[in-house]
Amino acid sequence: MLPYSDSAGGGLADDRLDRPPDVDVIVVGAGFAGLYAILHLVECGFTVRCFESASDVGGVWYWNRYPGARCDVESVDYSYSFSPELEQDYEWTERYAAQPDIQAYLSHAAERFDLRSRIQFDSPVTSSRFDEERRLWRVTIADGASASARFLVLATGPLSVPLVPSLPGIDSFAGAVYHTSRWPSEPVDFTGRRVGVIGTGSSGIQSIPVIAEQCEHLYVFQRTANFSIPAQNRPMTPEALADIKANYRARRALTLLTKGGSPYQYRTDSPVALAEDERRQAFEAAWERGGTHFLKSFGDLVTNEESNRLAAEFVAEKIRSIVDDPAIAELLIPSDHPLGSKRICADTNYYQAFNRQNVTLVDLRRTPIAEVTPSGIRTEGGEYGLDDLVLATGFDAMTGSFQAVYPRGAGGLSLRDAWRGGPRTYLGVAVAGFPNLFLLSGPGSPSVLANMVRTAEQQVDWLAGLLRHVVDQGATLVEADVAAQDAWVRHVNDAAEGTIHLRANNWYLGANVPGKPRVFMPYAGGLDVYRRECDEIAADGYRGFAVVD
Ligand code: NA7
């Protein structure tokens, strides 16, 4: 146990130099990563307090509760692996968990491991500053209270800050405006309503078929068509779940050996080398497996242009076979980016929705939005009367949520200024100039390119080791070296070089946010490689970190 008090913090104005921080660690965010951070850091002997802006645990899964919201990673893999008892006890009911099920799972975990008492809900952190003299972080909460900790861990999530497009006239709209990632907790009834959805990324693609079933008429405003593969979601049979539970350890072990933290392996041959019927069979099988697995049908889909073209053409044929109107089908076929260069979407009846009489696809490429009016949307091609508007327009991904707590490091440097040219981190975990600050799923870590729960567990385990290394030698400050950070940034850029992700305007590159520097943010080297690199650095005395007594 460390010599710091375990007071709850908040509203403390006593800044005497000899006054210890309120707790050892403040964790911001109570999603998958934050909850595990609380649990594991407490197990490792630290006093921990968590601030969460929402009224409950869940992180992105608390907020992202639009109709049809569902994870695109299988539930048995998108779950904690640290507790074999939890694995054995928990009954997943579907192959892909819907938002309420994930929320219930995290709520169960919070109860089971007694985490709620350490979390202060409805408490957005509005600023955070490193006190160089006292070597602690002081965070301020929206209500004006503050708390201090030796270490600050931001588990604020890479997809947390909604991107609201600045559409002319949007404030004049008379109806309700919803953002998919800030959906009301009460059910929204679209019965008899004319609804517009802007955006056809994952959130749009999942919500469109569900909203279409309820509303009077749905207008889908599409700027860019995306690749979506039917998730092939289904109820989890007791036999399938029992089989997974019997082999959970082996399944988890496999996830540690792959780039994406998935238990599935790529085929090593290429579709280019196959006869047409064999190739078709393979793609058919991948389509039937469903969802993002499609990209794993052949390992070279992400490296070989011709393989990728063949897979994209197969998907295009599928879209043509599902959508009745050939002109609509062509509009729904992506034409400006390779398959997988943006994250593949996983849907349930997305393309089928366009066969409904009450669904209209509006092509914003041909007829961009001119303005939102009080009664709807006027494009350059016509006017669409709407009662409600749904913005499925995504996130200020990967950097937005860290900047939203306004960290100020040594010398008062703000993270915003430090990252003005794009994010720079060491291992995606630490930032030079920001001692004792740590990011989970930060830019420069595999995060969104891998199973987020696996990466969260790996990073928290590793971080706990680093913090123990620091405090066990009586030190009070740890900071990434500039040289180590520069080398890591080069490594992250090298890993991205040649990947398919650089060939699309995607949020991995910040391309979706006007004015955001175009830098490829996640580490594309793979979770397996990243884990090894982190372990080697730890074994080498946490190379690249300066530890100061
Ligand atoms: P995404 O994938 O960023 O999708 C956002 C969508 O919104 C996309 O189709 C955008 O078109 C569209 N968009 C954004 N701004 C506008 C404006 N101003 N006008 C018209 N259309 C616009 O966000 P999601 O929430 O769907 O998914 C994010 C991740 O969550 C997803 O990858 C999964 O990992 C889970 P664009 O492509 O920019 O032309």
Side-chain angles (χ1 to χ4, degrees):
M1 182 61 71
L2 295 170
Y4 314 137
S5 80
D6 191 11
S7 73
L12 298 165
D14 183 355
D15 277 339
R16 279 176 301 124
L17 276 178
D18 58 350
R19 189 183 186 286
D22 301 330
V23 285
D24 301 326
V25 187
I26 287 177
V27 173
V28 184
F32 269 103
L35 289 176
Y36 181 56
I38 301 169
L39 172 66
H40 190 54
L41 290 170
V42 168
E43 279 172 352
C44 289
F46 297 97
T47 55
V48 180
R49 181 122 195 96
C50 173
F51 294 101
E52 165 57 57
S53 58
S55 304
D56 201 351
V57 299
V60 69
W61 294 107
Y62 173 91
W63 297 106
N64 223 41
R65 50 191 166 210
Y66 57 82
R70 192 177 287 285
C71 188
D72 61 6
V73 177
E74 287 172 73
S75 48
V76 292
D77 297 318
Y78 194 76
S79 54
Y80 289 125
S81 69
F82 67 81
S83 164
E85 296 76 24
L86 175 63
E87 276 170 355
Q88 291 302 319
D89 291 351
Y90 208 78
E91 301 288 317
W92 291 105
T93 57
E94 289 186 273
R95 183 183 181 201
Y96 292 98
Q99 178 272 337
D101 298 334
I102 301 174
Q103 179 68 30
Y105 172 77
L106 286 174
S107 192
H108 170 83
E111 295 297 330
R112 184 177 185 124
F113 300 107
D114 193 21
L115 305 178
R116 281 184 196 280
S117 60
R118 298 182 191 272
I119 306 169
Q120 187 173 315
F121 294 105
D122 300 306
S123 301
V125 173
T126 51
S127 69
S128 50
R129 178 179 274 273
F130 186 63
D131 177 334
E132 286 176 80
E133 251 183 312
R134 295 176 63 207
R135 293 185 174 173
L136 54 78
W137 278 89
R138 179 166 290 281
V139 303
T140 306
I141 321 303
D143 66 3
S146 72
S148 64
R150 182 70 73 211
F151 306 107
L152 177 60
V153 175
L154 302 183
T156 46
L159 295 167
S160 302
V161 175
L163 184 67
V164 178
S166 49
L167 299 169
I170 192 158
D171 292 337
S172 73
F173 184 62
V177 180
Y178 305 97
H179 194 287
T180 43
S181 73
R182 285 293 178 275
W183 205 261
S185 48
E186 301 306 315
V188 177
D189 187 2
F190 288 121
T191 308
R193 316 275 295 171
R194 298 162 305 160
V195 182
V197 173
I198 300 179
T200 49
S202 183
S203 305
I205 280 175
Q206 288 190 336
S207 58
I208 283 164
V210 183
I211 297 173
E213 277 186 14
Q214 198 184 48
C215 69
E216 181 186 303
H217 200 96
L218 178 64
Y219 296 91
V220 176
F221 295 90
Q222 172 186 276
R223 189 164 65 182
T224 309
N226 266 304
F227 288 97
S228 187
I229 311 291
Q232 312 291 6
N233 185 38
R234 52 179 175 262
M236 179 74 76
T237 63
E239 297 75 30
L241 191 57
D243 187 47
I244 288 163
K245 285 183 177 180
N247 298 292
Y248 235 141
R249 292 298 89 212
R251 189 179 179 104
R252 299 297 198 190
L254 212 50
T255 63
L256 301 183
L257 303 176
T258 62
K259 276 190 174 319
S262 145
Y264 300 103
Q265 303 288 341
Y266 290 101
R267 264 178 82 145
T268 50
D269 55 345
S270 168
V272 177
L274 297 181
E276 199 182 328
D277 58 336
E278 253 185 296
R279 184 162 62 226
R280 172 164 294 281
Q281 256 178 28
F283 284 143
E284 278 291 352
W287 181 270
E288 287 309 316
R289 266 197 305 279
T292 60
H293 292 304
F294 189 83
L295 203 59
K296 296 188 169 70
S297 48
F298 292 96
D300 74 347
L301 292 194
V302 290
T303 52
N304 181 333
E305 222 166 286
E306 182 55 11
S307 299
N308 191 283
R309 192 193 63 75
L310 288 166
E313 186 46 41
F314 175 85
V315 176
E317 278 176 32
K318 283 286 186 193
I319 296 171
R320 290 186 190 107
S321 75
I322 298 170
V323 178
D324 297 339
D325 181 333
I328 300 292
E330 290 313 308
L331 284 179
L332 290 168
I333 294 170
S335 57
D336 69 342
H337 62 278
L339 180 101
S341 55
K342 294 182 170 197
R343 187 173 173 87
I344 284 191
C345 302
D347 72 271
T348 300
N349 296 329
Y350 175 61
Y351 295 113
Q352 288 83 345
F354 294 91
N355 294 336
R356 298 176 65 99
Q357 293 307 306
N358 71 334
V359 175
T360 301
L361 181 63
V362 182
D363 177 11
L364 295 183
R365 285 284 151 116
R366 202 172 56 79
T367 57
I369 293 177
E371 62 171 343
V372 180
T373 67
S375 57
I377 286 183
R378 190 171 64 76
T379 71
E380 290 180 10
E383 200 144 355
Y384 301 89
L386 302 174
D387 301 309
D388 299 307
L389 186 54
V390 174
L391 302 176
T393 44
F395 301 88
D396 178 2
M398 304 221 59
T399 53
S401 76
F402 300 123
Q403 290 169 331
V405 301
Y406 293 95
R408 284 193 177 272
L413 176 68
S414 75
L415 192 62
R416 222 163 259 278
D417 282 338
W419 285 1
R420 206 157 279 285
R424 299 182 74 78
T425 68
Y426 182 39
L427 298 175
V429 168
V431 185
F434 293 79
N436 295 6
L437 173 73
F438 300 98
L439 317 177
L440 296 178
S441 300
S445 74
S447 67
V448 293
L449 294 181
N451 178 323
M452 293 288 295
V453 187
R454 288 292 73 68
T455 63
E457 288 182 326
Q458 182 269 337
Q459 286 197 317
V460 169
D461 289 346
W462 189 87
L463 177 59
L466 171 64
L467 298 190
R468 281 255 54 108
H469 169 76
V470 173
V471 298
D472 285 351
Q473 49 188 295
T476 50
L477 188 142
V478 54
E479 182 182 356
D481 297 335
V482 175
Q485 175 169 285
D486 288 347
W488 184 255
V489 170
R490 277 196 301 277
H491 182 51
V492 171
N493 290 338
D494 290 348
E497 206 51 51
T499 66
I500 202 166
H501 304 301
L502 296 183
R503 295 175 54 202
N505 290 322
N506 52 39
W507 52 259
Y508 301 136
L509 273 164
N512 62 330
V513 180
K516 191 165 173 172
R518 248 178 202 247
V519 173
F520 188 77
M521 294 180 282
Y523 174 58
L527 180 59
D528 50 349
V529 174
Y530 176 79
R531 172 184 291 270
R532 269 202 306 279
E533 287 169 327
C534 288
D535 289 348
E536 279 167 22
I537 286 167
D540 207 6
Y542 294 94
R543 177 177 9 105
F545 285 95
V547 177
V548 184
D549 291 349

